[in-house]
Amino acid sequence: MLRGMCLWLLAAMVLAPVARAEDGYRLWLRYDALSAQRAGAVAQRAASITGPDRPSAVVASAISELQRGLGGMLAREIPAGTQISAGTVILANPSVQARLGIDLPLSDLGAEGYLLRSMTLDGKPVTVVAANGDAGLLYGAFALLEHIQRGLPIDEMNMRSAPKLQLRVLDHWDNLDGSVERGYAGQSIWNWWTLPEHVDPRLVDYARANASIGINGAVLNNVNASALSLTPRYIAKAAAIADTLRPWGMKVYLSARFSAPIELGGLDTADPLDPEVAAWWKAKADEIYASIPDFGGFLVKANSEGQPGPQDYHRSHAEGANMLAAAVAPHGGIVMWRAFVYSAEDATDRAKQAYAEFKPLDGTFADNVLLQVKNGPIDFQPREPFHPLFGAMPETPLMMEFQITKEYLGQATHLVYLGPLWEEVLEADTRRHGEGATVAKVIEGRYGAHKLTGMAGVANIGDDRDWTGSTFNQANWFAFGRMAWNPQSSARNIAVEWAELTFGPRDDVTRTVLDMMMTSREAVVNYMTPLGLAHQMATGHHYGPGPWVSDLGRPEWNPAYYNRADKDGIGFDRTASGSNAIAQYAPPVAKEFGDLAAVPDRDLLWFHHLAWDYRMRSGETLWQSLLDHYQTGVEQVQAMERQWQSLKGDIDPRRFAKTADFLRIQEKEAKWWRDASVLYWESVSGKRAPEGYPEPAHDLDYYKALRFPNAPGH
């Protein structure tokens, strides 16, 4: 016992400098050495590993992760073999259970669910990770390690979990030149130039991180796709990535450029009903599957923002999607067809276009097609009402698309935890199938006989050492995985899990970090787009405010298009007297949004154009309420700065300093948003902020003249 204690202390001393030099690379998989008392308790239940006689590559990954994690936390080598002794972790698929005489209830866990249970087997205390399939054993192994990292009891475990969505996919907007569209964490991690001969070992850590939160797929290239990604050269590169991710339960997908038959195949057309075009895609699919047998399928952006698509040939989105679906169907592949469409030729409210194009196509898509719909009807704004397509297409599986990268929310530097944003959308009641038909239940497939369900997240990952550009951006990657596993998850509970794994299970630290995270999204809404305003960012790079921009070639590119501010008022009238976008929602929802006495303040200016002196339910005028929100947002950031400073000494120096620096940037830019926005509203309304309101640092012309030609990510 004494020798073991000395070894533990020696290992802790060796590991201590590593902990002090924490740089964020390990994400939430830190596996630092436990206290002697905690290590002793864990070792009684988890000190060795056994599993299937001939473990698959995925089960081998589970074993290696348990050895890594338990080895780090117990500061010892963890043996894996066939023997069962006191403290063995048993990876038990049905055949292992039968061999050991264990009968655990797995019938409702599917292929990816897992069960964790503390048991006594032949008088020996053991921990069982049970599952029907290899992926379940992998996810269960990570769940066990998380349980231990968070300091939770290991001797009375009885946990079970299974994903509610089948496809849990990261969409990488990575370009073949190594840049990342809307990426704020460096260059692409794929390193296309050296593939396939050299695969960066970092990709294994990427796969481990995804497996730990249940993500089972990655789209490797930008939705604004290059046809080159479908050439033999790049298929070989994608195959090398697939070989690296496969042992961690992940499939790869590719974004397909719809005009590739012309650009690569020499055809005169990409018409989806042309037999030569269909034959070209079938041959291309066969070629890909020859190199990547478990290739997931295609993601397609078509007839949006200038991308080619079936409408170029007077064909429908369904006809385009179904042609591609037929090409991958023999291999078990799928097509994720994006519903993000808007056209310069359509003069109606941009918020209405996706619904208008796709709702009439309900029931016409092939059964291996998912329609991938953004959470709101515009474009990943700090706040939008839920997309009206959710619940409106019962014969079509709809796949949620969230943006993990913060294109419109302060990019890399602003601390914005997106869990509350996503939870707000997923909890929204569509009322399409009676009360309680939430968006979460819609995408879970509860209201249609769909064989496919899923959620996609636009990745925030790059080659920065800390993966996402900042420590708190990691929380959004983590939260996406959790909500893709279970769309009814609590954003608050996820934040607690992440904080304990990322900074250690210390109650005082967790409480402070949790309060910062749960405040952060509302803060950014307040200082950027309060009371239902949207798309007020400067155009192109979407960095900083630009509510005055009104001279761009397409109306819907202009922030002024969305705020409609003039001397009489502000806001976009989407009621029956305006664009009538509310009619795209179920009648009870439309009634609430259209009624000034019922619409939530948070959606007010999304649906209504109101006078500056409109009296809010609070008794304030709209003008005063706007001013209050902008100032509140600044004050919330200042409060987060103070809270973070209170943790000095409790957080390792490197991560503490970077976050403190970024919070200072966020405070400066929150004030910029407040000052520039208020000055512009003053200029169009004739109103003035009351005496005592913070004086802007500059005049309006100064803010209008700012240019950022080298802003990242665009």
Side-chain angles (χ1 to χ4, degrees):
M1 182 64 155
L2 181 61
R3 179 175 178 273
M5 182 74 74
C6 291
L7 286 173
W8 182 89
L9 288 170
L10 177 62
M13 289 164 55
V14 171
L15 288 170
V18 176
R20 285 198 297 271
E22 179 72 68
D23 60 8
Y25 182 84
R26 293 184 296 164
L27 298 162
W28 46 88
L29 303 173
R30 296 169 69 233
Y31 303 146
D32 285 342
L34 304 173
S35 68
Q37 181 178 4
R38 174 68 174 158
V42 169
Q44 293 177 19
R45 290 279 181 177
S48 64
I49 307 161
T50 192
D53 292 334
R54 295 182 179 84
S56 67
V58 172
V59 175
S61 294
I63 293 170
S64 72
E65 193 67 24
L66 287 169
Q67 289 181 303
R68 177 198 294 257
L70 294 173
M73 290 187 283
L74 300 181
R76 67 172 76 168
E77 190 171 314
I78 305 298
T82 60
Q83 299 299 313
I84 297 177
S85 57
T88 296
V89 176
I90 303 171
L91 297 176
N93 59 19
S95 63
V96 170
Q97 287 195 63
R99 171 162 52 86
L100 297 178
I102 301 173
D103 185 18
L104 295 173
L106 306 179
S107 60
D108 62 338
L109 294 181
E112 295 182 295
Y114 60 84
L115 181 151
L116 303 182
R117 184 168 293 184
S118 305
M119 298 182 65
T120 300
L121 193 63
D122 296 331
K124 302 166 186 172
V126 298
T127 299
V128 177
V129 179
N132 291 309
D134 294 349
L137 295 178
L138 177 65
Y139 298 141
F142 277 109
L144 173 61
L145 291 170
E146 177 189 326
H147 192 85
I148 296 170
Q149 285 185 90
R150 295 181 62 201
L152 302 173
I154 192 174
D155 56 343
E156 296 181 354
M157 283 193 304
N158 187 7
M159 302 162 46
R160 58 195 299 113
S161 183
K164 294 186 176 182
L165 300 179
Q166 296 160 281
L167 304 173
R168 306 175 299 278
V169 179
L170 288 181
D171 289 355
H172 286 264
W173 286 2
D174 294 29
N175 299 311
L176 302 186
D177 65 0
S179 64
V180 182
E181 183 176 335
R182 308 309 179 189
Y184 309 105
Q187 295 289 97
S188 170
I189 63 168
W190 304 133
N191 202 350
W192 292 110
W193 188 250
T194 60
L195 287 165
E197 290 82 7
H198 173 70
V199 180
D200 190 335
R202 180 172 185 159
L203 297 194
V204 174
D205 291 332
Y206 163 84
R208 290 176 51 240
N210 281 319
S212 75
I213 50 177
I215 292 172
N216 63 5
V219 181
L220 303 182
N221 59 318
N222 196 346
V223 290
N224 294 319
S226 166
L228 289 176
S229 63
L230 300 178
T231 59
R233 180 180 176 219
Y234 280 94
I235 291 171
K237 296 172 186 290
I241 297 172
D243 291 344
T244 306
L245 305 190
R246 186 177 297 112
W248 299 92
M250 294 186 70
K251 289 184 177 182
V252 301
Y253 302 78
L254 291 173
S255 293
R257 185 167 171 83
F258 199 79
S259 55
I262 299 172
E263 296 159 6
L264 302 181
L267 300 184
D268 295 329
T269 180
D271 183 347
L273 299 190
D274 187 302
E276 286 190 86
V277 172
W280 187 89
W281 279 108
K282 183 181 184 307
K284 181 56 65 176
D286 292 345
E287 179 187 355
I288 294 171
Y289 279 98
S291 294
I292 312 172
D294 60 346
F295 177 64
F298 294 127
L299 171 66
V300 184
K301 176 179 180 179
N303 292 121
S304 178
E305 298 183 317
Q307 291 297 305
Q311 292 179 336
D312 299 346
Y313 307 95
H314 307 289
R315 311 301 188 191
S316 73
H317 287 285
E319 288 169 319
N322 292 346
M323 180 271 295
L324 290 173
V328 298
H331 306 280
I334 66 163
V335 171
M336 297 171 284
W337 191 271
R338 294 180 88 230
F340 177 64
V341 294
Y342 69 96
S343 167
E345 286 71 42
D346 191 335
T348 62
D349 179 359
R350 174 179 164 183
K352 296 172 62 177
Q353 290 189 36
Y355 183 99
E357 288 194 27
F358 285 97
K359 175 66 171 76
L361 300 176
D362 189 28
T364 65
F365 290 91
D367 62 4
N368 61 329
V369 174
L370 292 104
L371 192 59
Q372 187 167 301
V373 182
K374 290 189 178 185
N375 56 274
I378 296 291
D379 190 11
F380 298 136
Q381 294 301 294
R383 170 167 280 133
E384 298 182 54
F386 70 89
H387 203 297
L389 278 173
F390 290 114
M393 298 184 69
E395 303 303 317
T396 305
L398 301 188
M399 182 180 191
M400 174 63 75
E401 181 179 356
F402 286 133
Q403 191 177 52
I404 309 171
T405 189
K406 303 200 310 293
E407 176 181 355
Y408 296 100
L409 293 103
Q411 302 184 356
T413 54
H414 292 209
L415 195 165
V416 187
Y417 172 49
L418 299 179
L421 187 163
W422 300 336
E423 183 178 41
E424 181 178 290
V425 173
L426 292 166
E427 286 184 339
D429 192 345
T430 70
R431 303 292 292 272
R432 288 288 184 184
H433 307 276
E435 193 168 350
T438 63
V439 172
K441 292 177 182 177
V442 169
I443 65 171
E444 288 171 14
R446 297 204 191 183
Y447 304 110
H450 307 312
K451 74 172 189 177
L452 294 173
T453 57
M455 183 184 292
V458 181
N460 64 345
I461 297 157
D463 68 356
D464 279 6
R465 179 66 183 170
D466 63 7
W467 297 92
T468 61
S470 81
T471 299
F472 280 89
N473 285 341
Q474 296 175 0
N476 294 326
W477 180 6
F478 183 90
F480 171 79
R482 285 287 190 259
M483 289 187 170
W485 183 272
N486 178 6
Q488 299 183 59
S489 297
S490 158
R492 175 175 289 273
N493 291 346
I494 292 169
V496 170
E497 292 174 12
W498 177 82
E500 291 182 346
L501 295 170
T502 301
F503 301 115
R506 293 169 290 172
D507 289 346
D508 53 343
V509 172
T510 299
R511 278 194 302 269
T512 301
V513 168
L514 175 64
D515 190 52
M516 293 171 65
M517 292 172 71
M518 295 305 293
T519 300
S520 62
R521 185 278 182 117
E522 207 61 42
V524 79
V525 171
N526 281 332
Y527 63 72
M528 285 188 181
T529 54
L531 297 176
L533 290 172
H535 228 304
Q536 296 305 287
M537 298 76 190
T539 57
H541 47 70
H542 298 151
Y543 170 68
W548 47 80
V549 176
S550 60
D551 58 355
L552 300 178
R554 289 173 55 162
E556 71 280 2
W557 286 348
N558 293 284
Y561 169 89
Y562 299 97
N563 65 56
R564 307 285 167 114
D566 56 27
K567 64 181 179 59
D568 297 320
I570 186 173
F572 199 124
D573 183 1
R574 292 188 166 99
T575 69
S577 62
S579 75
N580 203 28
I582 61 168
Q584 294 183 337
Y585 292 92
V589 177
K591 182 179 179 181
E592 177 182 317
F593 286 153
D595 183 354
L596 282 170
V599 63
D601 284 354
R602 69 189 190 192
D603 297 317
L604 186 66
L605 300 180
W606 182 283
F607 290 107
H608 299 272
H609 184 87
L610 298 171
W612 298 101
D613 290 329
Y614 170 78
R615 190 67 60 178
M616 306 284 288
R617 287 190 289 267
S618 66
E620 286 186 321
T621 64
L622 173 60
W623 172 245
Q624 184 60 52
S625 186
L626 277 171
L627 297 179
D628 288 349
H629 278 279
Y630 285 116
Q631 178 59 16
T632 296
V634 172
E635 292 172 356
Q636 287 169 316
V637 174
Q638 292 169 333
M640 288 194 293
E641 285 187 277
R642 292 191 296 271
Q643 289 173 303
W644 187 249
Q645 285 298 322
S646 76
L647 297 178
K648 190 170 186 177
D650 293 321
I651 306 293
D652 48 275
R654 188 178 299 186
R655 291 189 298 174
F656 179 85
K658 186 173 184 179
T659 299
D661 289 345
F662 280 11
L663 283 167
R664 282 191 289 273
I665 293 172
Q666 186 171 1
E667 181 191 1
K668 179 179 71 174
E669 295 185 354
K671 291 176 177 177
W672 169 29
W673 268 93
R674 177 198 63 197
D675 295 349
S677 300
V678 170
L679 282 170
Y680 178 65
W681 306 141
E682 287 182 339
S683 76
V684 296
S685 69
K687 299 283 184 183
R688 290 293 177 267
E691 187 176 347
Y693 197 78
E695 285 288 330
H698 306 280
D699 62 18
L700 181 58
D701 287 339
Y702 169 87
Y703 294 116
K704 286 184 175 182
L706 293 174
R707 296 292 182 268
F708 303 96
N710 298 314
H714 73 289

